[in-house]
Amino acid sequence: MKKVTLVLFVFVALLTGCNVEKTAIVCGREWNPNLEVVADTASEFEMKDQLIVQFRYGKNFDFAKLKTAFYEGTLANKGSEIWNHEVAVSEKMGVYTLQGKSRHGGLMTARELCRKKEPGPVVIEVSGDGKVLLSKQILLTKNR
């Protein structure tokens, strides 16, 4: 009985030690180029705020094409597609970051990246080989 308990304890310790990050869409204003990580600052952005979108899969990608699409509306009431971006990915990747350079210098603002002229909710949807993997809703607000 002691051996079974010891084996179970070792097995649970091994499983607990495996830290697999959950699949997530992270939206933020802060980009750390050294670590290539976006700080998840909020789901609400002023139109003038920088916006970086990062898809973290938690394991290596098991698909060849990754599509990020932006939609009008909310998760409950997704409207028309604003725009999308599709890229080829490999099984060596587990994270993809979408950011752009602004015409005015620096990183794109929320207004530029979401291609919105007016504040409101936006749905960001990530698909792998045509299968929706995750969606996230953000809110663009007026500049203060």
Side-chain angles (χ1 to χ4, degrees), residues 69-74 77-84 114-116 121-124:
F70 290 75
Y71 294 90
E72 297 275 352
T74 64
N77 190 15
K78 186 170 71 171
S80 60
E81 184 177 291
I82 301 169
W83 76 283
N84 70 67
C114 293
R115 298 184 183 168
K116 294 268 296 177
V122 174
V123 174
I124 302 169

Side-chain angles (χ1 to χ4, degrees), residues 62-137:
D62 50 4
F63 43 85
K65 295 275 187 189
L66 181 73
K67 177 181 172 185
T68 306
F70 290 75
Y71 294 90
E72 297 275 352
T74 64
L75 287 171
N77 190 15
K78 186 170 71 171
S80 60
E81 184 177 291
I82 301 169
W83 76 283
N84 70 67
H85 180 72
E86 190 170 7
V87 294
V89 293
S90 73
E91 65 275 352
K92 294 180 181 179
M93 299 172 67
V95 175
Y96 180 76
T97 305
L98 182 63
Q99 61 184 356
K101 292 186 180 181
S102 176
R103 291 183 221 128
H104 312 303
L107 296 175
M108 281 187 168
T109 63
R111 176 186 179 142
E112 292 170 320
L113 189 65
C114 293
R115 298 184 183 168
K116 294 268 296 177
K117 294 182 181 178
E118 298 296 324
V122 174
V123 174
I124 302 169
E125 184 177 270
V126 177
S127 306
D129 287 339
K131 177 184 168 198
V132 175
L133 301 170
L134 204 57
S135 297
K136 179 174 183 161
Q137 178 181 320

